[in-house]
Amino acid sequence: MGKGGKSATEENNGEVAENMAAWLCGVNTLRIQPFKLPPLGPQDVRVSIKAVGICGSDVHYLKHLRCADFIVKEPMVIGHESAGIIEEVGSEVKHLVAGDQVALEPGISCWRCDYCREGSYNLCPDMKFFATPPVHGSLANQIVHPANLCFKLPENVSLEEGAMCEPLSVGVHGCRRASVGAETNILIVGAGPIGLVTMLSARAFGAPRIIIADVDEQRLSMAKKLGADDTVLVSTKSEDIEEEVTRIQNSMGGKINVTFDCAGFEKTMSTALKATCPGGKVCLIGMGHNEMTVPLTPAAAREVDVVGVFRYKNTWPLCLEFLSTGKVDVKPLITHRFGFSQKEVEEAFETSA
């Protein structure tokens, strides 16, 4: 179990109130219940959580009690996109003080394995990640977390924007993995939240032209408002791939250097492999289908590289720079706001679902 929290919190009248959290207790069952904090270690901080985003994986856990190979076997505190205010710092913490507003990176790696020592800590086999069984998450009044995973917010970045650093980090890490730059034309397949933050990240990395494809016109409308150069409405039918690839390539008007598959279906991956230019890259972001039948050999003959993305590493400082300088604006992605009560938490998850 990772650092998580239930604590005693101070109320305005000075009395100590029990720390509460949103617990996933069963299929479609969330309960606001006490959550006891672990002791504050010398390199830890206690954070009063002020903003938590709801991710697709949170909803998937609620509906199915599992996400990919991660299975919820006992009650678990949900939530992993979070920001808050420092309440207390450990004895060895020097870079943060009480009152600082911070964004929290949710994964605690071991820092001992080969992957961690080589810098790829996101691949750590012993990663303890918020709201990934059996580790508790951050949808709580307060939590305890390592200070080195808490990043102070610039004065012009809000707590809500700070919480958005987590999904934005997925897009930033994907752009790094795909070497996106000022000469990289981008196709994004899937205009859901991850597709949109990938689009915002690619623009911040300098991508000159970005096309986004999806089956939903409303999502494409949002993508256009957020800065997509063009959008392409596609179907769910595999027999339409060839015609859709032609439309996508015509829309780009040049080479598609990198394609991000942010949906993870057999059809979307096939579209990505066919649309990408020789020598380009296809980057699969997120947890797609485990097995797919895709045109891999023709893509290999064109030297199209297939790149995987799992979470992120060392992204929070760059995300905060993008937010503070205005290179990325995540505020339009924050569409609903709910309080922290039993009724409102249930409504928040229903709305997200």
Side-chain angles (χ1 to χ4, degrees):
M1 186 166 118
K3 301 282 187 182
K6 264 303 168 67
S7 84
T9 59
E10 295 290 335
E11 292 188 328
N12 292 334
N13 60 9
E15 296 180 1
V16 174
E18 197 166 24
N19 189 50
M20 307 297 285
W23 290 77
L24 175 58
C25 299
V27 173
N28 292 324
T29 304
L30 289 168
R31 295 195 183 104
I32 304 297
Q33 297 180 157
F35 183 30
K36 186 177 180 180
L37 285 174
L40 187 74
Q43 297 181 22
D44 293 335
V45 291
R46 180 164 55 89
V47 184
S48 179
I49 299 298
K50 298 300 182 183
V52 179
I54 297 176
C55 174
S57 65
D58 295 319
V59 174
H60 206 270
Y61 279 125
L62 177 64
K63 299 295 183 183
H64 306 285
L65 293 184
R66 70 178 299 159
C67 190
D69 294 329
F70 300 105
I71 302 172
V72 179
K73 298 179 180 178
E74 57 187 24
M76 177 186 78
V77 176
I78 203 75
H80 63 274
E81 303 174 1
S82 46
I85 300 174
I86 300 292
E87 297 290 342
E88 184 181 4
V89 302
S91 60
E92 297 178 9
V93 177
K94 307 300 180 185
H95 68 290
L96 295 170
V97 298
D100 284 345
Q101 297 189 355
V102 293
L104 283 68
E105 182 172 351
I108 306 171
S109 56
C110 74
W111 292 112
R112 296 183 300 275
C113 69
D114 289 344
Y115 297 104
C116 285
R117 289 188 288 111
E118 292 168 359
S120 297
Y121 67 85
N122 58 310
L123 303 179
C124 175
D126 294 320
M127 175 73 76
K128 295 176 174 59
F129 195 92
F130 280 164
T132 300
V135 182
H136 290 308
S138 58
L139 187 48
N141 295 134
Q142 296 193 4
I143 66 166
V144 168
H145 202 52
N148 69 322
L149 296 176
C150 296
F151 298 85
K152 187 174 179 178
L153 301 183
E155 290 186 2
N156 64 336
V157 175
S158 70
L159 287 160
E160 289 185 346
E161 292 171 287
M164 291 294 291
C165 282
E166 198 282 335
L168 182 60
S169 285
V170 177
V172 166
H173 183 54
C175 287
R176 284 175 170 169
R177 289 278 289 151
S179 303
V180 173
E183 297 180 339
T184 313
N185 288 327
I186 303 292
L187 167 64
I188 297 172
V189 184
I194 294 302
L196 295 178
V197 294
T198 300
M199 181 188 72
L200 295 173
S201 300
R203 188 68 80 197
F205 272 78
R209 186 162 176 80
I210 302 173
I211 307 298
I212 191 161
D214 198 278
V215 299
D216 188 287
E217 290 190 48
Q218 187 174 352
R219 288 186 169 191
L220 291 176
S221 177
M222 172 63 81
K224 191 70 173 177
K225 291 177 182 177
L226 289 174
D229 293 294
D230 200 4
T231 61
V232 178
L233 182 67
V234 295
S235 76
T236 58
K237 301 175 181 178
S238 295
E239 56 266 31
D240 294 336
I241 290 177
E242 297 296 339
E243 182 270 333
E244 289 169 355
V245 166
T246 298
R247 284 197 286 123
I248 289 168
Q249 291 174 332
N250 289 340
S251 175
M252 180 62 74
K255 292 181 179 179
I256 297 174
N257 305 107
V258 170
T259 299
F260 292 100
D261 180 359
C262 299
F265 294 107
E266 190 170 295
K267 190 204 172 196
T268 57
M269 192 61 176
S270 296
T271 299
L273 290 168
K274 288 175 175 288
T276 305
C277 74
K281 293 183 180 180
V282 171
C283 190
L284 180 59
I285 295 185
M287 305 295 284
H289 284 189
N290 280 350
E291 296 183 6
M292 306 180 192
T293 300
V294 297
L296 193 58
T297 300
R302 293 168 23 245
E303 293 195 351
V304 174
D305 295 338
V306 178
V307 178
V309 168
F310 185 64
R311 294 175 178 158
Y312 31 67
K313 60 178 181 178
N314 302 315
T315 52
W316 260 252
L318 184 56
C319 286
L320 290 173
E321 179 186 330
F322 283 163
L323 293 173
S324 64
T325 59
K327 287 185 177 180
V328 170
D329 182 9
V330 294
K331 292 189 289 294
L333 296 177
I334 305 170
T335 56
H336 299 76
R337 292 170 176 82
F338 298 88
F340 187 58
S341 67
Q342 181 70 43
K343 180 181 178 182
E344 288 178 290
V345 168
E346 289 176 350
E347 288 177 350
F349 273 81
E350 288 171 5
T351 301
S352 181

